[in-house]
């Protein structure tokens, strides 16, 4: 593992390796677009020192990631698979029944050409009809997730050694509290949208108190994705701080996350930005700069309207996010 990248120990990883705080995102839009470009970018990321790679069955990037890892092993770019930390996620069609969880993980492992994951996450706290082809569906067929049985299936995946840690994504304080009430193995990670324009202070305080690591997605606002915006990258406060420090806005955002104790998944296939996004470890933000960031007006970039439906478990955005928006 690159010595330049700090790492954190997860609460349910046992004796497994720590998770590098910077993860390399592999999602591209449309999903699975140009897998050859994704594979090439991942190989270059390994060359630059990235060791944590984030994928999901939804992203259709598991296969190019697996191919890139195989290439890196063959070429000697990494000594063994254990040099990398790989995260994938259980999609909503496979949360509709606990019997689908283990097969979904095995399918992901097959695509990745791996024997185990380092981290497996429930992607969203909702279920979808697994018999539907959603590519042509204007509205998804949504159901409540049976979190007790699905989490038990996740714990079984952990017990089998097919994933070293388990966690969740897009869970609110209320949903985490419900999960912690019955979980034998607590979630190691809650991967959620966090950036200076959506700071998630209440959720972070809750997760810190419960020993759950926050991992930020969309740390730069996800411009270019279907939900993304330029709110972060065009923020005057961040622009001023970046200019005064001789850093990029992206570096200011990532350093801010690091100083709060968050992990992050950052996605860029641009070589220059890939390098810049790693250059956040040998400098600090001042207290004045952090104070200015704390006062940035807040607005959520990804309300996930696709999961809101009169026919589903969440009738409004407020219901989906339990009023934490």
């Amino acid at each position: 593992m690159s010595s330049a990248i700090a790492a954190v120990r997860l609460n349910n990883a046992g004796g497994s390796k720590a998770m590098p705080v910077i993860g390399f995102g592999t999602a591209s839009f449309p999903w699975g677009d140009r897998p050859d470009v994704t594979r090439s970018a991942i190989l270059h990321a390994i060359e630059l020192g990235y060791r944590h790679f984030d994928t999901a069955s939804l992203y259709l990037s598991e296969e190019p990631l697996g191919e890139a890892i195989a290439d890196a092993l063959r070429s000697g770019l990494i000594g063994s698979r254990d040099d990398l930390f790989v995260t994938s996620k259980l999609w909503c069609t496979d949360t509709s029944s606990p019997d689908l969880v283990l097969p979904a993980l095995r399918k992901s492992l097959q695509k990745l050409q791996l024997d185990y994951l380092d981290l497996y996450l429930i992607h969203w706290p909702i279920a979808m009809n697994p018999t539907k082809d959603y590519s042509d569906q204007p509205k998804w067929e949504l159901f409540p997730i049976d979190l007790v049985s699905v989490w038990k299936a996740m714990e079984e995946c952990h017990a089998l050694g097919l994933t070293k840690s388990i966690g969740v994504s897009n869970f609110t304080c209320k949903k985490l509290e419900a999960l912690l009430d019955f979980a034998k193995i607590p979630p190691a990670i809650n991967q959620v949208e966090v950036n200076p324009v959506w700071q998630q202070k209440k959720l972070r305080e809750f997760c810190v108190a419960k020993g759950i690591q926050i991992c930020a997605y969309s740390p730069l606002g996800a411009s270019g994705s279907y939900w993304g915006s330029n709110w972060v990258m065009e923020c005057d406060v961040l622009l001023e701080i970046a200019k005064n420090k001789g850093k990029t806005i992206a570096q200011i955002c990532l350093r801010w996350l690091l100083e709060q104790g968050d992990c992050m998944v950052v996605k860029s296939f641009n070589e220059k930005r890939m390098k810049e996004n790693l250059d956040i470890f040998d400098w600090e933000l001042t207290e004045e700069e952090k104070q200015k960031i704390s006062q940035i007006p807040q607005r959520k970039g990804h309300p996930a309207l696709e999961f809101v439906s009169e026919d589903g478990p969440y009738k409004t955005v407020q219901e989906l996010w339990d009023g934490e928006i």
Side-chain angles (χ1 to χ4, degrees), residues 12-13 16-17 81-82 86 102 105-106 109 114-120 153-166 185:
N12 61 30
S16 298
K17 58 183 174 287
R81 179 265 180 266
D82 291 341
V86 180
L102 180 56
L105 174 53
R106 291 191 187 279
L109 290 172
L114 299 178
D115 294 326
Y116 70 90
L117 291 177
D118 296 284
L119 178 63
Y120 197 41
M154 294 284 286
E155 291 175 332
E156 178 64 16
C157 293
H158 181 272
L160 290 170
L162 298 178
T163 181
K164 302 300 184 182
S165 291
I166 52 177
I185 301 174

Coordinates of all heavy atoms in Angstrom, one line a residue, residues 12-13 16-17 81-82 86 102 105-106 109 114-120 153-166 185:
N12 N -15.5 -3.5 12.1 CA -15.8 -5.0 12.0 C -14.9 -5.7 11.0 O -15.2 -6.7 10.5 CB -17.3 -5.2 11.6 CG -17.6 -4.6 10.2 OD1 -16.8 -4.5 9.3 ND2 -18.9 -4.2 10.1
A13 N -13.6 -5.1 10.8 CA -12.7 -5.7 9.9 C -11.8 -6.8 10.6 O -11.1 -7.5 9.9 CB -11.8 -4.7 9.3
S16 N -8.1 -7.5 9.6 CA -7.8 -7.2 8.2 C -7.1 -5.8 8.1 O -7.1 -5.0 9.0 CB -9.1 -7.2 7.4 OG -9.7 -8.4 7.4
K17 N -6.7 -5.5 6.9 CA -6.0 -4.3 6.7 C -6.9 -3.1 6.8 O -8.1 -3.2 6.7 CB -5.4 -4.3 5.3 CG -6.3 -4.5 4.1 CD -5.6 -4.5 2.8 CE -6.5 -4.9 1.6 NZ -6.9 -6.3 1.6
R81 N -3.1 -9.3 -4.5 CA -4.4 -8.7 -4.4 C -4.6 -8.0 -3.0 O -5.3 -7.0 -2.9 CB -5.5 -9.8 -4.5 CG -7.0 -9.3 -4.4 CD -7.5 -9.5 -2.9 NE -8.8 -9.0 -2.8 CZ -9.2 -7.8 -2.4 NH1 -8.2 -6.9 -2.1 NH2 -10.4 -7.5 -2.2
D82 N -3.9 -8.5 -2.0 CA -4.0 -7.9 -0.7 C -3.5 -6.5 -0.6 O -3.7 -5.8 0.4 CB -3.2 -8.8 0.4 CG -3.9 -10.1 0.6 OD1 -5.1 -10.2 0.3 OD2 -3.3 -11.0 1.1
V86 N -10.9 -3.1 -1.9 CA -12.0 -3.1 -2.9 C -13.3 -3.1 -2.2 O -13.6 -4.0 -1.4 CB -11.9 -4.3 -3.9 CG1 -13.0 -4.2 -4.9 CG2 -10.5 -4.3 -4.6
L102 N -26.3 -13.3 -0.9 CA -25.1 -14.0 -1.1 C -24.9 -14.3 -2.6 O -23.7 -14.1 -3.1 CB -25.2 -15.4 -0.3 CG -24.0 -16.3 -0.5 CD1 -22.7 -15.6 -0.1 CD2 -24.2 -17.6 0.4
L105 N -23.4 -11.1 -4.1 CA -22.0 -10.9 -3.8 C -21.1 -11.9 -4.6 O -20.1 -11.4 -5.1 CB -21.8 -11.2 -2.3 CG -20.3 -11.1 -1.8 CD1 -19.6 -9.9 -2.2 CD2 -20.3 -11.3 -0.3
R106 N -21.5 -13.1 -4.7 CA -20.7 -14.0 -5.5 C -20.6 -13.6 -7.0 O -19.6 -13.7 -7.6 CB -21.3 -15.4 -5.4 CG -21.2 -16.1 -4.1 CD -21.6 -17.6 -4.1 NE -21.7 -18.2 -2.8 CZ -20.6 -18.7 -2.1 NH1 -19.4 -18.5 -2.7 NH2 -20.8 -19.3 -1.0
L109 N -18.1 -10.8 -7.1 CA -16.7 -11.4 -7.0 C -16.3 -12.0 -8.3 O -15.1 -11.9 -8.7 CB -16.7 -12.4 -5.8 CG -16.8 -11.8 -4.4 CD1 -16.9 -13.0 -3.4 CD2 -15.6 -11.0 -4.1
L114 N -12.2 -11.8 -8.0 CA -11.6 -11.8 -6.7 C -12.2 -12.9 -5.8 O -13.3 -13.4 -6.1 CB -11.9 -10.5 -6.0 CG -11.3 -9.2 -6.7 CD1 -11.7 -8.0 -5.9 CD2 -9.7 -9.4 -6.8
D115 N -11.5 -13.3 -4.8 CA -12.0 -14.3 -3.8 C -12.8 -13.6 -2.7 O -13.6 -14.3 -2.0 CB -10.9 -15.1 -3.2 CG -10.2 -16.0 -4.3 OD1 -10.9 -16.4 -5.2 OD2 -8.9 -16.1 -4.2
Y116 N -12.5 -12.4 -2.5 CA -13.2 -11.7 -1.4 C -13.2 -10.2 -1.6 O -12.4 -9.6 -2.4 CB -12.5 -11.9 0.0 CG -11.2 -11.3 0.1 CD1 -11.0 -10.0 0.7 CD2 -10.0 -12.0 -0.3 CE1 -9.8 -9.4 0.8 CE2 -8.8 -11.4 -0.2 CZ -8.6 -10.1 0.4 OH -7.4 -9.5 0.5
L117 N -14.2 -9.5 -1.0 CA -14.2 -8.0 -1.0 C -13.6 -7.6 0.4 O -13.6 -8.3 1.4 CB -15.6 -7.5 -1.1 CG -16.3 -7.6 -2.4 CD1 -17.8 -7.1 -2.3 CD2 -15.6 -6.9 -3.5
D118 N -13.1 -6.3 0.4 CA -12.7 -5.7 1.7 C -13.9 -5.1 2.3 O -14.0 -5.0 3.6 CB -11.6 -4.7 1.4 CG -10.3 -5.3 0.9 OD1 -9.6 -6.0 1.7 OD2 -10.1 -5.3 -0.3
L119 N -14.9 -4.6 1.5 CA -16.1 -4.0 2.1 C -17.2 -4.1 1.2 O -17.1 -3.9 -0.1 CB -15.8 -2.5 2.3 CG -16.9 -1.6 2.8 CD1 -17.3 -2.0 4.2 CD2 -16.4 -0.1 2.8
Y120 N -18.4 -4.5 1.7 CA -19.6 -4.7 1.0 C -20.7 -3.9 1.6 O -20.9 -4.0 2.8 CB -20.0 -6.2 0.9 CG -21.0 -6.6 -0.1 CD1 -20.9 -6.1 -1.4 CD2 -22.0 -7.5 0.1 CE1 -21.8 -6.5 -2.4 CE2 -22.9 -7.9 -0.8 CZ -22.8 -7.4 -2.1 OH -23.7 -7.8 -3.1
A153 N -28.2 -11.6 6.3 CA -27.6 -12.2 5.1 C -26.2 -11.5 4.9 O -25.2 -12.2 4.5 CB -28.5 -12.0 3.9
M154 N -26.1 -10.2 5.1 CA -24.8 -9.5 5.0 C -23.8 -10.1 6.0 O -22.7 -10.3 5.7 CB -25.0 -8.0 5.2 CG -25.8 -7.3 4.1 SD -24.9 -7.0 2.6 CE -23.8 -5.7 3.1
E155 N -24.3 -10.3 7.3 CA -23.5 -10.9 8.3 C -23.0 -12.3 7.9 O -21.9 -12.7 8.2 CB -24.3 -10.9 9.6 CG -24.5 -9.5 10.2 CD -25.4 -9.5 11.4 OE1 -26.2 -10.4 11.6 OE2 -25.2 -8.6 12.3
E156 N -23.9 -13.0 7.2 CA -23.5 -14.3 6.8 C -22.3 -14.2 5.7 O -21.4 -15.0 5.7 CB -24.7 -15.1 6.2 CG -24.3 -16.5 5.6 CD -23.9 -17.5 6.6 OE1 -24.1 -17.2 7.9 OE2 -23.3 -18.5 6.2
C157 N -22.4 -13.3 4.8 CA -21.4 -13.0 3.9 C -20.0 -12.7 4.6 O -19.0 -13.2 4.2 CB -21.7 -11.8 3.0 SG -23.1 -12.1 1.9
H158 N -20.1 -12.0 5.6 CA -18.9 -11.7 6.4 C -18.4 -12.9 7.1 O -17.2 -13.2 7.1 CB -19.3 -10.6 7.5 CG -18.2 -10.2 8.4 ND1 -17.9 -10.8 9.5 CD2 -17.3 -9.1 8.3 CE1 -16.9 -10.2 10.1 NE2 -16.5 -9.2 9.4
A159 N -19.3 -13.7 7.7 CA -18.9 -14.9 8.3 C -18.2 -15.9 7.4 O -17.3 -16.7 7.8 CB -20.1 -15.6 9.0
L160 N -18.6 -15.9 6.1 CA -18.1 -16.8 5.1 C -16.7 -16.3 4.6 O -16.0 -17.0 3.9 CB -19.0 -17.0 4.0 CG -20.3 -17.8 4.2 CD1 -21.3 -17.6 3.1 CD2 -20.0 -19.2 4.5
G161 N -16.3 -15.1 5.0 CA -15.0 -14.6 4.6 C -15.1 -14.0 3.2 O -14.0 -13.7 2.6
L162 N -16.3 -13.9 2.6 CA -16.4 -13.3 1.2 C -16.3 -11.8 1.2 O -16.1 -11.2 0.2 CB -17.7 -13.8 0.6 CG -17.8 -15.3 0.4 CD1 -19.2 -15.6 -0.1 CD2 -16.7 -15.8 -0.4
T163 N -16.5 -11.2 2.4 CA -16.2 -9.8 2.6 C -15.6 -9.5 4.0 O -16.1 -10.1 4.9 CB -17.5 -8.9 2.3 OG1 -17.1 -7.5 2.5 CG2 -18.6 -9.2 3.3
K164 N -14.6 -8.7 4.1 CA -13.9 -8.5 5.3 C -14.7 -7.6 6.2 O -14.6 -7.7 7.5 CB -12.5 -8.0 5.1 CG -11.6 -8.9 4.2 CD -11.4 -10.3 4.9 CE -10.5 -11.1 4.0 NZ -10.4 -12.5 4.6
S165 N -15.5 -6.7 5.6 CA -16.3 -5.7 6.4 C -17.6 -5.5 5.7 O -17.7 -5.7 4.5 CB -15.6 -4.4 6.6 OG -14.5 -4.5 7.4
I166 N -18.6 -5.1 6.4 CA -19.9 -4.8 5.9 C -20.4 -3.5 6.3 O -20.0 -3.0 7.4 CB -21.0 -5.9 6.2 CG1 -21.0 -6.2 7.7 CG2 -20.7 -7.2 5.4 CD1 -22.1 -7.2 8.1
I185 N -23.3 -7.6 14.0 CA -22.1 -7.0 13.5 C -22.6 -5.6 13.1 O -23.4 -5.4 12.2 CB -21.5 -7.7 12.3 CG1 -21.1 -9.1 12.7 CG2 -20.3 -6.9 11.8 CD1 -20.6 -10.0 11.5

